Amino acid sequence: MAENGYTDLEKQKLFLEEHEEKHFMSSEIVRDIIIGVSDGLTVPFALAAGLSGANVASSIILIAGIAEVAAGAISMGLGGYLAAESEADHYKRELKREQEEIISVPDTEAAECGEILSQYGIEPHEYEPVVNALRRNPQHWLDFMMKFELGLEKPDPMRALQSALTIAISYIAGGLVPLAPYMVIPLAEEAVVASVIITIVALLLFGFVKGYFIGNNPFKNAIQTAFIGAMASAAAYCIAKVFRA
């Protein structure tokens, strides 16, 4: 019994309840949003700029842009779905292989446990009780090996669908930004100017927010993101002008 009438275990639980970690945990969702919005802002922006350079009417640019946004959202969403499904399939294969190894070569797996723990500076006489405790609980042992030996986390069963919807919706949201001026300005020459201004501002804001969430310099990310989008649209516009001439 420790001081103040608490056992060590009770004190640990009390500390955990009092301490709140402030880590950002939704990295997969943020990654999907970044992928969707980044491509959504850039690709339709470049398409609209290129068609504007070819002196196409705003209505035609708008129709082509909306078609591209729809096709891009489906394509990007499907790509996210298949990627998440592949990750889940890979996890299942490795889980089955690890289960078989724990049953067929338990001593080897136990030795691997010890090797993993030793990498954290834990001595053999310290990690042997831990390894023995894991061997008595095969499920915990399996979870330990999946996470610390293979570096694999159990995927969310809804991850594939969630990824597809997040990327697709983000792509649509980003894609509508450069197309918005063409909805209200009939002349493409004027609409492209408004599209450039609005999209560059959106890219700057998006880059800043992206940098903030991923832990990079927000201002540097904002400039990089806007620069890439501007270069893509400028290239498309110039190419259209060259072929138009």
Side-chain angles (χ1 to χ4, degrees):
M1 182 70 70
E3 57 182 289
N4 297 327
Y6 290 108
T7 64
D8 290 339
L9 181 59
E10 288 172 337
K11 289 178 67 178
Q12 290 177 10
K13 290 181 178 179
L14 190 61
F15 288 142
L16 290 173
E17 289 174 358
E18 292 177 349
H19 177 66
E20 180 182 355
E21 295 280 354
K22 298 186 182 300
H23 299 295
F24 186 73
M25 304 299 290
S26 301
S27 58
E28 291 180 338
I29 295 176
V30 171
R31 182 191 65 185
D32 290 341
I33 292 174
I34 288 172
I35 292 171
V37 174
S38 179
D39 279 12
L41 282 170
T42 306
V43 178
F45 182 34
L47 172 66
L51 291 175
S52 297
N55 294 327
V56 177
S58 283
S59 59
I60 301 298
I61 295 172
L62 182 59
I63 292 170
I66 291 174
E68 194 288 323
V69 169
I74 294 171
S75 176
M76 294 286 292
L78 182 59
Y81 183 89
L82 294 176
E85 280 286 283
S86 297
E87 290 179 4
D89 290 341
H90 175 62
Y91 181 87
K92 290 176 184 177
R93 287 194 301 270
E94 293 301 323
L95 181 68
K96 183 178 179 181
R97 183 179 293 115
E98 199 64 36
Q99 284 176 322
E100 293 172 351
E101 290 178 353
I102 285 176
I103 295 172
S104 60
V105 285
D107 291 337
T108 302
E109 291 298 297
E112 289 177 354
C113 276
E115 183 181 7
I116 292 169
L117 293 169
S118 68
Q119 295 173 1
Y120 293 90
I122 303 174
E123 298 296 330
H125 69 277
E126 295 173 322
Y127 66 65
E128 281 179 3
V130 177
V131 173
N132 290 333
L134 287 172
R135 295 187 68 165
R136 289 193 297 269
N137 193 318
Q139 185 57 52
H140 289 170
W141 190 7
L142 178 61
D143 293 340
F144 178 88
M145 297 303 287
M146 290 297 292
K147 183 173 183 178
F148 291 98
E149 182 190 22
L150 303 178
L152 297 175
E153 295 280 356
K154 185 176 181 179
D156 185 343
M158 296 298 293
R159 171 64 188 145
L161 180 60
Q162 181 188 65
S163 178
L165 291 175
T166 302
I167 292 175
I169 293 171
S170 299
Y171 189 93
I172 293 171
L176 291 177
V177 172
L179 297 179
Y182 296 93
M183 298 178 184
V184 295
I185 302 176
L187 295 177
E189 295 83 357
E190 297 177 3
V192 70
V193 175
S195 179
V196 168
I197 295 172
I198 292 172
T199 307
I200 293 298
V201 171
L203 286 167
L204 285 169
L205 290 174
F206 171 68
F208 185 90
V209 173
K210 181 180 70 172
Y212 174 81
F213 277 111
I214 65 177
N216 290 344
N217 187 321
F219 294 99
K220 181 180 178 181
N221 266 270
I223 297 299
Q224 288 178 338
T225 304
F227 178 76
I228 292 171
M231 290 298 294
S233 62
Y237 184 86
C238 291
I239 291 171
K241 280 291 187 184
V242 169
F243 281 95
R244 177 72 177 176

